């Protein structure tokens, strides 16, 4: 069956409670939203990610109590280069939400969401290890997959798939 | 809820405690898992897992392969449950493309996925029991597992890494007589589960080693991102097959075992009950298997039948193009989560219009469940660490990818 076109117009997307409540909470935090292939994604402003996660978790109507995934996509050579993606799940509403934050290529930093969900700990370490994004406020930001003395961030697009060794 | 202090640095220790390395090579760590334990006599004061010994860069490798070439790669992540990985990958690819596998393919996928769950839980039970000391359990569980491996060999030619699912359906029809052999196996299996329960559930040594050990509260389980039996053993009633169904699971009737106790014994009872539920699902799948094609009607994506390929020109051209150039996928991204035997296995797939995925990230259930280990083991004995590792059922291929 052919794919329906993606909807990126915020006005149309306000019918989704997630978009409506986020806009009602802090409209300048939402930089955009997209509904594609049945999935909703909200692009947030970088400074607001921790507060937005806390809001989504604690809000009684949205109830995104479960943190499912945190990862990053490298859009080299486009700027802003990195796109950190969060997948949230609301068990009571059986709904998923994706949050995205775009970061520039040099010195990418982002607030850690471990104060909101401790389960993001390993995921943020993995993104730091493989992409080089520093998470501020993380209790133990060290490499997790690669050896401690490894140089370079393997999942970046300018790192060869064969590696350097 | 603040961050977990016990995952902080282990640099400062007093005179009383000792740092013990439960090294990557250890019979009870279920793979190359390194645990750094700070112990005070027999008690574990703090513990930190150190992973990455099995990191093979699968996510990077996905970016270098065509979509159809990625399926054997997906198999090898969680190596004790290959069909779950394949199912997740293939469902993500189908969602990106906007195609749906036909009904017969979905039912066979459910059947194989549940057989896979049986196989994975058998390995879990055997290794968990032998770690705690019940040595014969390993051989009994592996005896049943051998039957399932032979079934998989009959189906797809390989015992473990079948690469049987494809984006759009299945690789080929199951051979004649396959479903009869599956039926024979699952009809005899519940009696075997009774045998295992006889040996372990009422056993005072087993109960003594597992009850009250490795406690994880429901609040902690959700905050730490645990999933699967680790989450259900702590009282959270959440199963993706029932609550957000995929691949036709909504047509099957099964219970989801949940236990309020939150200890190793609770997770054990959940998984043993899941063995029974999966057997029921397989029996339902066998009874109601629909007829029909096993590949979707999408000639640009799904390989044509070999007979058609040999006689029709368009089929030959499609076959050639798909194999040599791959099929392009419209730009976009999806996150598809399935319930693997370990928990929520999610595939985040980004495509940019080329025949190779731009980014594939696997949300591995064992990676998230491993974070609960520190919470479970602090303040307890070293021997309880072994029981707790077994109870969260981690597979290092899943953790490290």
């Amino acid at each position: 069956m052919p794919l329906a076109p993606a909807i990126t117009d915020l006005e149309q997307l306000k019918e989704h409670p997630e978009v409506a409540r986020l806009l009602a909470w802090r409209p300048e935090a939402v930089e955009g939203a997209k509904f594609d292939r049945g999935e909703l994604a909200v692009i947030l402003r970088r400074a607001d990610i921790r507060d937005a996660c806390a809001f989504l978790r604690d809000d009684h109507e949205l109830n995104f109590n479960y943190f499912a995934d945190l990862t990053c996509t490298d859009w080299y050579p486009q700027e802003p280069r990195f796109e950190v993606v969060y997948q949230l799940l609301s068990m009571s509403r059986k709904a998923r939400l994706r949050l995205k934050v775009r970061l520039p290529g040099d010195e990418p930093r982002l607030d850690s969401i471990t104060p909101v969900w401790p389960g993001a700990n390993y995921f943020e370490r993995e993104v730091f290890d493989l992409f080089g994004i520093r998470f501020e406020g993380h209790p133990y930001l060290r490499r997790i997959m690669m050896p401690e003395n490894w140089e370079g961030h393997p999942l970046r697009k300018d790192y060869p798939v064969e590696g350097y060794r | 809820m603040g961050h977990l202090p016990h995952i902080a640095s282990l640099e400062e220790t007093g005179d009383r405690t000792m740092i013990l390395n439960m090294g990557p090579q250890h019979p009870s760590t279920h793979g190359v898992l390194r645990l750094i334990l700070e112990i005070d006599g027999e008690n574990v004061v703090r513990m930190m897992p150190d992973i990455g010994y099995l990191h093979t860069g699968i996510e990077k490798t996905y970016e270098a392969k065509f979509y159809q070439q990625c399926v054997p790669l997906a198999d090898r992540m969680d190596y004790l449950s290959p069909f779950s990985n394949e199912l997740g990958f293939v469902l993500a690819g189908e969602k990106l493309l906007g195609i749906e596998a036909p009904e017969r393919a979905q039912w066979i996928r459910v059947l194989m996925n549940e057989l896979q769950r049986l196989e994975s839980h058998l390995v879990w039970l055997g290794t968990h029991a032998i770690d705690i000391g019940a040595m014969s359990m390993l051989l009994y569980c592996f005896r049943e597992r051998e039957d399932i491996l032979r079934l998989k060999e009959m189906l797809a030619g390989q015992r473990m890494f079948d690469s049987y699912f494809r984006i759009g359906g299945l690789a080929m029809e199951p051979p004649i007589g396959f479903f009869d052999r599956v039926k024979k196996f699952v009809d005899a299996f519940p009696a075997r589960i009774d045998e295992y329960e006889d040996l372990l559930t009422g056993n005072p040594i087993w109960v003594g080693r597992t009850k009250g050990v490795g406690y994880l509260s429901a609040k902690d389980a959700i905050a730490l991102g645990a999933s699967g039996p680790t989450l259900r053993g702590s009282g959270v009633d959440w199963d993706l097959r029932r609550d957000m169904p995929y691949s036709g699971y909504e047509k099957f009737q099964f219970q989801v075992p949940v236990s309020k106790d939150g200890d190793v014994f609770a997770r054990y009872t959940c998984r043993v009950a899941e063995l029974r539920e999966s057997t029921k699902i397989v029996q339902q799948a066998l009874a109601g298997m629909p007829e029909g094609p096993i590949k979707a009607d999408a000639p640009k994506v799904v390989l044509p039948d070999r007979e058609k390929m040999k006689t029709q020109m368009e089929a030959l051209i499609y076959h050639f193009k798909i194999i040599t150039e791959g099929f392009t996928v419209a730009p976009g991204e999806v996150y598809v989560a399935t319930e693997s035997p370990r928990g929520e296995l999610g595939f985040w797939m980004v495509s940019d219009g080329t025949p190779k995925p731009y980014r594939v990230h696997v949300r591995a259930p064992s990676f998230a469940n491993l974070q609960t280990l520190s919470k479970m083991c602090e303040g307890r004995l070293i021997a309880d660490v072994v029981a707790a590792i077994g109870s969260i059922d981690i597979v290092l291929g899943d953790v490290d990818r």
Side-chain angles (χ1 to χ4, degrees):
Chain A
M1 76 205 106
L3 290 168
I7 306 174
T8 48
D9 175 32
L10 265 182
E11 279 308 309
Q12 266 186 295
L13 290 170
K14 274 193 189 147
E15 61 181 32
H16 293 280
E18 294 89 356
V19 177
R21 300 277 299 175
L22 274 172
L23 284 172
W25 167 71
R26 204 184 282 184
E28 61 275 10
V30 178
E31 289 183 356
K34 182 167 153 186
F35 183 74
D36 185 20
R37 294 167 166 97
E39 298 182 6
L40 180 63
V42 177
I43 305 166
L44 288 175
R45 196 175 57 174
R46 177 177 169 178
D48 294 304
I49 185 65
R50 189 186 287 173
D51 294 336
C53 286
F55 169 71
L56 288 164
R57 181 193 61 180
D58 298 328
D59 185 68
H60 294 293
E61 275 188 34
L62 295 179
N63 226 335
F64 281 100
N65 59 338
Y66 190 79
F67 164 79
D69 194 17
L70 194 179
T71 184
C72 178
T73 307
D74 180 6
W75 288 104
Y76 182 82
Q78 286 178 39
E79 276 290 332
R81 178 176 177 178
F82 295 110
E83 186 181 51
V84 182
V85 180
Y86 300 77
Q87 313 282 356
L88 303 181
L89 167 68
S90 167
M91 287 182 175
S92 58
R93 290 172 51 230
K94 303 199 165 94
R96 289 194 187 270
L97 177 65
R98 190 176 308 137
L99 301 175
K100 291 186 180 181
V101 178
R102 301 281 312 224
L103 297 176
D106 34 52
E107 300 273 340
R109 290 171 183 279
L110 193 58
D111 279 339
S112 162
I113 62 164
T114 44
V116 181
W117 285 293
N121 193 314
Y122 277 18
F123 291 93
E124 289 183 346
R125 278 178 71 181
E126 187 187 4
V127 172
F128 165 65
D129 187 3
L130 300 173
F131 286 94
I133 296 176
R134 298 203 81 91
F135 287 91
E136 303 183 320
H138 191 281
Y140 194 66
L141 193 68
R142 296 241 189 125
R143 284 186 183 273
I144 188 170
M145 301 290 194
M146 307 307 291
E148 289 287 328
N149 55 359
W150 197 265
E151 285 174 20
H153 300 283
L155 268 177
R156 291 189 174 190
K157 286 287 178 181
D158 47 356
Y159 197 98
V161 73
E162 317 83 43
Y164 284 123
R165 293 245 177 127
Chain B
M1 184 177 232
H3 66 263
L4 295 164
H6 42 262
I7 309 185
S9 159
L10 280 182
E11 254 91 51
E12 334 85 40
T13 60
D15 277 336
R16 211 181 145 71
T17 59
M18 176 174 109
I19 301 261
L20 183 70
N21 188 50
M22 202 162 150
Q25 186 191 34
H26 191 285
S28 299
T29 53
H30 293 258
V32 279
L33 171 68
R34 175 177 174 227
L35 295 173
I36 307 167
L37 304 166
E38 185 182 349
I39 54 177
D40 174 10
E42 279 276 328
N43 292 303
V44 174
V45 174
R46 274 193 299 183
M47 163 228 269
M48 192 168 78
D50 179 15
I51 60 177
Y53 289 92
L54 200 48
H55 179 66
T56 44
I58 286 189
E59 293 184 3
K60 183 96 182 165
T61 316
Y62 276 135
E63 298 172 14
K65 298 209 172 289
F66 293 135
Y67 281 92
Q68 66 269 26
Q69 288 176 326
C70 290
V71 174
L73 201 52
D75 263 337
R76 285 153 173 81
M77 289 185 304
D78 175 356
Y79 44 77
L80 291 178
S81 176
F83 273 129
S84 328
N85 305 349
E86 278 181 44
L87 183 62
F89 183 86
V90 153
L91 286 174
E94 287 171 359
K95 198 169 186 191
L96 263 182
L97 283 162
I99 65 179
E100 205 185 333
E103 218 197 331
R104 183 174 167 84
Q106 289 187 2
W107 279 61
I108 297 180
R109 281 180 181 173
V110 166
L111 195 157
M112 291 317 298
N113 208 27
E114 292 307 312
L115 269 183
Q116 185 65 72
R117 195 178 308 269
L118 290 179
E119 189 201 322
S120 171
H121 282 343
L122 283 169
V123 174
W124 158 78
L125 185 57
T127 52
H128 184 39
I130 195 174
D131 282 345
I132 294 186
M135 296 191 186
S136 355
M137 282 307 297
L138 182 74
L139 293 176
Y140 291 146
C141 292
F142 273 58
R143 174 191 62 184
E144 300 342 318
R145 181 174 179 246
E146 191 59 33
D147 287 334
I148 301 183
L149 291 174
R150 291 210 184 113
L151 284 172
K152 287 164 80 174
E153 190 185 11
M154 183 182 183
L155 177 71
Q158 250 268 41
R159 282 158 59 97
M160 280 176 79
F161 304 120
D162 290 57
S163 310
Y164 182 62
F165 298 165
R166 295 281 182 273
I167 295 181
L170 305 171
M172 52 188 128
E173 270 281 341
I176 299 172
F178 175 69
F179 293 125
D180 297 328
R181 273 182 66 174
V182 175
K183 187 159 191 326
K184 199 159 145 243
F185 171 74
V186 289
D187 285 344
F189 194 61
R192 299 295 162 86
I193 309 177
D194 293 335
E195 274 179 28
Y196 305 150
E197 289 215 274
D198 269 343
L199 282 172
L200 291 177
T201 308
N203 189 328
I205 305 177
W206 181 262
V207 170
R209 287 281 319 253
T210 57
K211 255 209 194 295
V213 171
Y215 176 70
L216 185 70
S217 70
K219 195 152 162 279
D220 282 338
I222 295 182
L224 286 167
S227 53
T230 311
L231 185 65
R232 294 195 280 277
S234 293
V236 181
D237 190 8
W238 177 255
D239 184 327
L240 283 168
R241 295 173 294 165
R242 177 198 60 194
D243 295 324
M244 296 178 80
Y246 49 91
S247 187
Y249 267 106
E250 60 272 5
K251 302 190 184 110
F252 293 86
Q253 259 106 30
F254 56 98
Q255 304 286 335
V256 173
V258 178
S259 166
K260 290 247 173 299
D261 296 336
D263 55 10
V264 171
F265 189 75
R267 281 169 235 132
Y268 157 79
T269 47
C270 280
R271 288 200 182 92
V272 171
E274 275 184 21
L275 281 173
R276 293 192 197 278
E277 297 304 320
S278 291
T279 316
K280 274 194 234 163
I281 299 179
V282 174
Q283 284 167 332
Q284 288 172 38
L286 288 170
M289 179 69 60
E291 296 298 322
I294 48 148
K295 287 186 187 169
D297 182 23
K300 291 214 172 103
V301 171
V302 174
L303 284 178
D305 272 344
R306 285 205 75 90
E307 282 313 307
K308 280 214 201 104
M309 191 257 299
K310 289 173 191 169
T311 53
Q312 290 178 13
M313 195 56 190
E314 304 82 25
L316 178 65
I317 295 174
Y318 277 131
H319 181 103
F320 181 77
K321 287 221 155 225
I322 293 175
I323 301 268
T324 55
E325 293 176 355
F327 48 83
T328 54
V329 177
E333 57 216 13
V334 286
Y335 178 75
V336 171
T338 58
E339 181 84 16
S340 94
R342 283 161 191 88
E344 173 170 332
L345 175 66
F347 275 81
W348 159 249
M349 210 183 272
V350 180
S351 78
D352 60 343
T354 61
K356 299 184 181 175
Y358 189 75
R359 170 91 174 102
V360 178
H361 171 74
V362 181
R363 190 270 182 200
S366 307
F367 188 63
N369 289 351
L370 192 56
Q371 295 178 108
T372 62
L373 195 61
S374 310
K375 201 87 175 147
M376 288 182 200
C377 293
E378 296 213 321
R380 311 234 26 141
L381 304 170
I382 296 184
D384 295 339
V385 171
V386 171
I389 296 176
S391 80
I392 55 175
D393 195 13
I394 48 170
V395 168
L396 269 302
D398 204 26
V399 171
D400 290 340
R401 286 156 275 134

